[in-house]
Amino acid sequence: MTSPLPAFKLERFFAQYEFVAPYLLCCSDCQPLSMSEVLELADAEAREMWKDLRLGYTETAGLPALREEISKQYSTISKDDITVLAPEEGVYLAMRAVLRAGDSVVCTFPGYQSLYSIAKSMGCTITHWEPELMPVIRDKGKEAAAKSSCSATSLSFNVDALLQILKASDSSTAPPVKMVIMNFPHNPTGFLPNHEDWSRLVEACKTRGCYLFSDEMYRGLELDASCRLPAACDCYDQAISLCGVSKSLGLPGLRIGWLASKAQVAAEDELVYSAAAMSSNISPATGDHMNSVVTASLQSRVRELKDYTTICSSAPSEVLSLIALRSADKIMHQHVTTIQGNVEHAHKFFSLFPNMFEWQPPVAGSVTFPRLTTGENIDAFCDRVVKGCGVLLLPSSVYDHPHSIERGNFRLGLGRSNARECFDRLREYLEKTKTI
């Protein structure tokens, strides 16, 4: 049964606090670049594009030069396999293009709410793939950071658990799993599967022919570059990779992201996509779980649906994103360096409160998910802190994940340049209120 989209709890929380709290210690993005910093990176071609830019409509698929640059992030993807859009729009349009009421979906949880709420509102059945609690190493300063390895976080997603979910679906009378949705590097835990587990995960989707929607917004922010995973769209034809400039490049204000995929979508009996009828991609539909007639490229359908949302992206944002992507390695190196420095600041902070918190640094990405161990309600604690010293922490209640709420988890952001100042303010407040 379909239902209205619920309020987006995390975004409503930030709407209340983000622009009034002076110390943001829970943001998921990296330090935003200024306009001048971006323009300083421009090559001669991009400078001319910026100088002569007219503020008209842009192509629905995205600026060709931008899509060409994006394709360089992948090994099997061409610019024609990419649609530029706002990252949140990418989630919405991909779900609308692929899913139908009654479909079965598996999704990492907790996570960004739209990854599962959109599918649920469409009438899909959602099964959560939840992280397991792993032994926590009490803070040991730099030594602990140095020993961090791929997938070593206190909350870890066990691929065997996902395989059990899929096997149970195989033997069920209910419809087979239509899509597996995941977010790695993971927000909010900072978890990243190792290469072996990633391969097992992809192979499980291939074997069943289900779609794999992979939110890769934090890809490129691995603390150890050897842990970086290949993009899902380079591993499997029916995978859909979501990425953008918001997180790893520190440009959320541009509102530029993209879907990279060579996937095909099935047109149901009552819905024949005009893109399918007009393209050479028409082929007999496959997949026993879909009553379909023809298939068309996912990109064609997403671009049709985009006519109902933004129609096209901002011309200035596309050029600025092109400039940033041409210097992506430099920008991401700067952000990883900032995160690594903030991990050290976090170690120093948590070492002062060994009886109050448990934490592990992220394997990848700019966020981590510490735990308040005093028994105080996590919402009450975060509310007390922001009112007492202006430091904003994100309570796990925004994720509606009971286990995280019970454990007292909260999200910590490590991508901003003022994190040390935020830790100092929080330390002073906790010492002053004698809550050590």
Side-chain angles (χ1 to χ4, degrees):
M1 180 181 296
T2 60
S3 60
L5 281 169
F8 203 129
K9 286 193 174 183
L10 180 147
E11 297 298 348
R12 291 300 90 206
F13 179 89
F14 275 110
Q16 180 179 357
Y17 291 110
E18 184 175 9
F19 298 101
V20 295
Y23 303 100
L24 305 180
L25 194 52
C26 59
C27 295
S28 60
D29 59 354
C30 292
Q31 181 64 28
L33 276 66
S34 68
M35 178 76 83
S36 61
E37 287 174 323
V38 176
L39 292 177
E40 285 175 2
L41 297 170
D43 57 24
E45 180 190 29
R47 282 197 297 271
E48 285 301 310
M49 293 175 68
W50 182 254
K51 177 183 175 182
D52 298 334
L53 184 65
R54 292 187 178 276
L55 303 181
Y57 288 109
T58 62
E59 296 187 33
T60 299
L63 180 70
L66 175 58
R67 288 187 287 128
E68 185 67 42
E69 193 64 37
I70 292 169
S71 71
K72 296 176 183 177
Q73 305 287 316
Y74 307 99
S75 61
T76 66
I77 296 294
S78 73
K79 68 180 179 64
D80 295 330
D81 302 320
I82 293 164
T83 299
V84 175
L85 29 63
E88 178 70 280
E89 183 182 26
V91 179
Y92 181 79
L93 296 184
M95 303 302 158
R96 295 289 301 182
V98 173
L99 299 175
R100 299 290 182 269
D103 284 341
S104 177
V105 174
V106 179
C107 184
T108 48
F109 184 70
Y112 199 60
Q113 185 175 328
S114 59
L115 292 176
Y116 46 88
S117 283
I118 293 172
K120 185 176 181 180
S121 76
M122 293 174 64
C124 297
T125 300
I126 310 297
T127 301
H128 293 148
W129 176 24
E130 301 185 46
E132 299 177 2
L133 186 63
M134 306 299 288
V136 174
I137 301 173
R138 289 287 184 172
D139 191 277
K140 297 181 181 180
K142 295 182 180 179
E143 294 81 6
K147 294 179 181 178
S148 178
S149 62
C150 300
S151 76
T153 56
S154 56
L155 287 170
S156 298
F157 287 88
N158 186 343
V159 173
D160 287 331
L162 172 65
L163 298 182
Q164 287 299 317
I165 293 172
L166 294 176
K167 288 178 180 178
S169 174
D170 294 342
S171 59
S172 172
T173 57
V177 172
K178 178 80 166 287
M179 177 183 282
V180 173
I181 303 171
M182 64 187 64
N183 161 221
F184 297 125
H186 185 249
N187 172 15
T189 66
F191 174 81
L192 184 69
N194 59 40
H195 287 270
E196 179 183 355
D197 282 345
W198 173 251
S199 296
R200 295 172 63 211
L201 188 159
V202 172
E203 187 60 33
C205 293
K206 281 184 180 180
T207 300
R208 291 163 177 82
C210 62
Y211 291 92
L212 171 56
F213 184 91
S214 179
D215 176 350
E216 300 167 5
M217 292 296 292
Y218 299 89
R219 188 166 178 260
L221 295 180
E222 299 81 9
L223 273 64
D224 178 347
S226 68
C227 296
R228 184 174 304 173
L229 301 173
C233 61
D234 281 331
C235 299
Y236 175 37
D237 284 349
Q238 289 296 86
I240 306 163
S241 290
L242 170 73
C243 201
V245 302
S246 297
K247 308 301 183 182
S248 58
L249 295 183
L251 296 169
L254 296 185
R255 309 311 304 136
I256 292 291
W258 57 84
L259 291 174
S261 179
K262 294 177 289 188
Q264 298 286 303
V265 292
E268 298 179 358
D269 287 339
E270 70 275 15
L271 179 64
V272 178
Y273 302 155
S274 62
M278 296 173 62
S279 75
S280 60
N281 291 330
I282 297 178
S283 62
T286 59
D288 294 337
H289 60 288
M290 291 182 287
N291 179 24
S292 52
V293 178
V294 296
T295 61
S297 74
L298 169 82
Q299 300 295 351
S300 295
R301 183 55 182 157
V302 163
R303 293 167 193 175
E304 285 188 334
L305 292 171
K306 190 180 175 186
D307 294 339
Y308 288 92
T309 52
T310 60
I311 300 177
C312 64
S313 300
S314 156
S317 290
E318 287 191 324
V319 176
L320 292 169
S321 295
L322 173 63
I323 294 170
L325 279 164
R326 287 179 174 174
S327 296
D329 289 343
K330 178 180 179 180
I331 295 171
M332 288 190 290
H333 176 74
Q334 292 173 341
H335 289 321
V336 170
T337 299
T338 297
I339 294 169
Q340 290 171 331
N342 287 335
V343 166
E344 293 191 13
H345 296 318
H347 277 304
K348 292 176 182 177
F349 170 82
F350 286 116
S351 69
L352 298 173
F353 303 94
N355 298 318
M356 191 173 188
F357 301 105
E358 289 180 348
W359 99 294
Q360 287 275 68
V363 173
S366 51
V367 295
T368 184
F369 210 38
R371 175 180 174 237
L372 178 71
T373 61
T374 62
E376 181 178 0
N377 176 274
I378 193 60
D379 285 295
F381 173 74
C382 292
D383 184 67
R384 176 165 65 85
V385 166
V386 73
K387 290 178 178 177
C389 64
V391 175
L392 186 65
L393 304 171
L394 186 71
S396 51
S397 58
V398 302
Y399 299 108
D400 279 334
H401 184 236
H403 297 309
S404 296
I405 297 171
E406 293 169 6
R407 288 193 294 260
N409 289 102
F410 59 96
R411 191 178 78 180
L412 200 65
L414 300 172
R416 297 289 186 92
S417 61
N418 70 334
R420 180 176 182 176
E421 182 182 8
C422 295
F423 280 122
D424 287 344
R425 291 288 297 182
L426 182 56
R427 173 186 54 78
E428 291 169 0
Y429 170 73
L430 294 179
E431 291 175 344
K432 180 179 178 180
T433 55
K434 298 181 181 179
T435 54
I436 300 178

